Structure formats: structure tokens, C-alpha cells
Amino acid sequence: MAERPEDLNLPNAVITRIIKEALPDGVNVSKEARRAISQAASVFVLYATSCANNFAMKAKRKTLNAGDVMSAMEEMEFERFMQPLREALEAYKKGQKGKKEASEQKKKDKEKKSDVEENDKNKDEEEEEEEHMDEEAEAENEVEDEEVEN
Amino acid sequence: MAATLGPAQGADSDLDRNVIEDEPRGTDGDEENSQQTGATNAPQSRLAKLPLARIKALMKADPDVTLASQESVFIIAKATELFVEMIAKDALVYAQQGKRKTLQRKDLDNAIEAIDEFAFLEGTLD
């Protein structure tokens, strides 16, 4: 599915909520202002991505990472964002780790309940899953060479 | 610069496994309806208000972007949230100068013109 930058925007309800929470009570926001802020936010994503990607390319990496985004923030003169972003990233990483452990724990519980044969099967599934990720990553690379979409 | 996230750098190969294709659908609020229920799934969704899938789609619109780690998508989502807060507050100053309690489009335009960080927005909004 081809998504052009102009077709993609962020959900209005979420943008509105972020705006309302940032402003004092009693302040209203016109529809036009909200629309403009939403558009600006999309432009921000595109600009930040482009900037971050430059850092990844400079480092000869194909994968844009969190560090690239941080560098981009500095480059874009949004240093004020860096500290809150670092904190948010820490919380996110912890949460990710928890998720991973939780799903691994689920698998372990499964194994406990089933037979020895099942144990081997689950292990195979686990390995299969990880290979699948690599396959997807490779496929992603190939696709990206020709087109931008999924 | 990347040194500020030393561990993240070292774990780059790990991140490759968690590239965007990989995100479990549950954690993205990538449709308007799912965001009505708020962060229904993993706590992750509470950390970013903006749906990661939408952010990811925007990022992929850039032809030069090959892959992006889940973390990078999250950080851009978070940065965008901070950006929205910032621009709303800066625009409010102009509304208040005009003795208004309603933020209007012209307040945005004024803020964009006056504030250096928003220079990249000039000429980009309808």
C-alpha cells in the first residue's frame, strides 16, 4: 500500500489531547489551529527522521537507532527534548525487557505443562521465530531497495 | 553523540531483530478506534501517546530510510509529543497578546516566524 507523506497524518484526537494537556484550563483551540499543529507534527516526524537517518548513513548503518534520533534532536536545536527523551527511552527499554521476559516465561510455563516431546517442539518454534525476524529484515531490505512501502 | 546511549549502541544487533516489522500489533494504536480505549495493551503504549504504527509509516515514507529500530520509532513519537506541547504553548503567547483565550491559526504562524527552532516549518503548512 503506497502511503504518501501528504496522506499520513496523526490521529486528531491524540493531537488534541496533547495540546489540551499542555495548555491551561479555559484555553480553547480553533479547528484550524489544531489542524495546523497536526500538520506541523507530521512535518516534524519527517524532518527528524531525515536528520536521524543522515547520522545512521554517516555511520554506515542501515538501521536507524535511538542514538541517531538523539543526535538529530541536537542538530535540529531541540536540545531541550533530549533529557526527557532519555528518561522516556529508559522506561521504554525496561518495559520491552519485561515484555520479552513475560513471553519467554509463558513459553516456559507451556513447556512445564506438556511432554518432553513438546519441549523440543517449542524450542524449535522459538528458533523459528527468531529466524523469521531475520528473514523479515532481509525481505524488508530488498523491498526498500525498490519501493518505500511495506 | 551516540555515546550518550552507549548500551543502545552496543545492542545494535539486538535492535535489528526488533526492527519495525516486528512490533506486535497489540501495542500499536494504529487505528483511530483503538486509541479511544486508550492504552489497552502493554504498558509501552502509555509511554507514547501517539500510535507507533502511524509514526513508523511516516518514517518509512522517506526513501532513504531502510530500517528503523523500535526504539527509534518510540523516541520520535515521544519527541513529536514534546514538539506539539512546545508549539502549542509558544503559540498561546501570541493569543494572549491578542487578549484571546482561543488559539488561532495566526498564532501558530506567528510562533513559526518568530522562533528559530520552528524555521523548518516555514512554507510547509497549508
Side-chain angles (χ1 to χ4, degrees), chain B residues 60-93:
Chain B
K60 289 175 81 178
D62 185 330
D64 293 330
V65 173
T66 314
L67 287 169
S69 70
Q70 271 189 321
E71 286 179 5
S72 69
V73 179
F74 169 77
I75 304 237
I76 289 202
K78 196 68 196 167
T80 306
E81 191 183 313
L82 295 173
F83 167 81
V84 170
E85 287 172 5
M86 180 179 167
I87 201 168
K89 287 179 180 160
D90 288 339
L92 181 63
V93 171

Side-chain angles (χ1 to χ4, degrees), chain A residues 91-146:
Chain A
Y92 180 75
K93 286 202 277 195
K94 282 197 186 124
Q96 288 292 77
K97 197 176 158 208
K99 256 205 295 182
K100 216 177 176 184
E101 284 168 6
S103 68
E104 277 165 20
Q105 186 60 45
K106 271 185 190 165
K107 286 201 169 128
K108 283 180 188 162
D109 290 344
K110 250 198 211 169
E111 282 168 18
K112 278 181 192 165
K113 284 174 186 171
S114 31
D115 303 327
V116 178
E117 281 173 295
E118 284 286 4
N119 282 352
D120 294 333
K121 202 178 170 190
N122 281 339
K123 278 185 185 152
D124 287 345
E125 277 173 7
E126 235 181 308
E127 288 168 7
E128 217 183 296
E129 210 184 283
E130 291 180 352
E131 279 169 25
H132 188 48
M133 286 184 206
D134 291 337
E135 271 174 37
E136 276 188 329
E138 281 172 17
E140 172 73 5
N141 268 325
E142 283 163 24
V143 170
E144 287 299 330
D145 283 341
E146 301 164 80

Side-chain angles (χ1 to χ4, degrees), chain A residues 24-124:
Chain A
D25 289 338
V27 172
N28 293 316
V29 185
S30 77
K31 206 172 70 175
E32 288 74 27
R34 250 186 293 141
R35 202 174 67 85
I37 291 179
S38 184
Q39 264 192 305
S42 295
V43 175
F44 176 84
V45 173
L46 295 172
Y47 181 37
T49 299
S50 175
C51 204
N53 199 44
N54 285 337
F55 284 100
M57 292 197 294
K58 253 191 271 182
K60 303 212 173 127
R61 268 181 286 104
K62 281 192 171 176
T63 306
L64 209 160
N65 66 26
D68 299 324
V69 179
M70 296 302 280
S71 304
M73 290 298 118
E74 203 172 339
E75 174 101 340
M76 291 161 68
E77 295 177 35
F78 285 108
E79 289 98 343
R80 62 176 75 190
F81 289 177
M82 291 172 79
Q83 189 47 35
L85 288 179
R86 278 188 210 112
E87 290 167 9
L89 180 62
E90 279 316 301
Y92 180 75
K93 286 202 277 195
K94 282 197 186 124
Q96 288 292 77
K97 197 176 158 208
K99 256 205 295 182
K100 216 177 176 184
E101 284 168 6
S103 68
E104 277 165 20
Q105 186 60 45
K106 271 185 190 165
K107 286 201 169 128
K108 283 180 188 162
D109 290 344
K110 250 198 211 169
E111 282 168 18
K112 278 181 192 165
K113 284 174 186 171
S114 31
D115 303 327
V116 178
E117 281 173 295
E118 284 286 4
N119 282 352
D120 294 333
K121 202 178 170 190
N122 281 339
K123 278 185 185 152
D124 287 345

Side-chain angles (χ1 to χ4, degrees), chain B residues 89-107:
Chain B
K89 287 179 180 160
D90 288 339
L92 181 63
V93 171
Y94 292 96
Q96 286 169 339
Q97 275 179 12
K99 303 218 165 95
R100 281 178 283 106
K101 281 198 166 172
T102 300
L103 208 66
Q104 287 172 6
R105 170 61 197 259
K106 59 183 171 185
D107 302 318

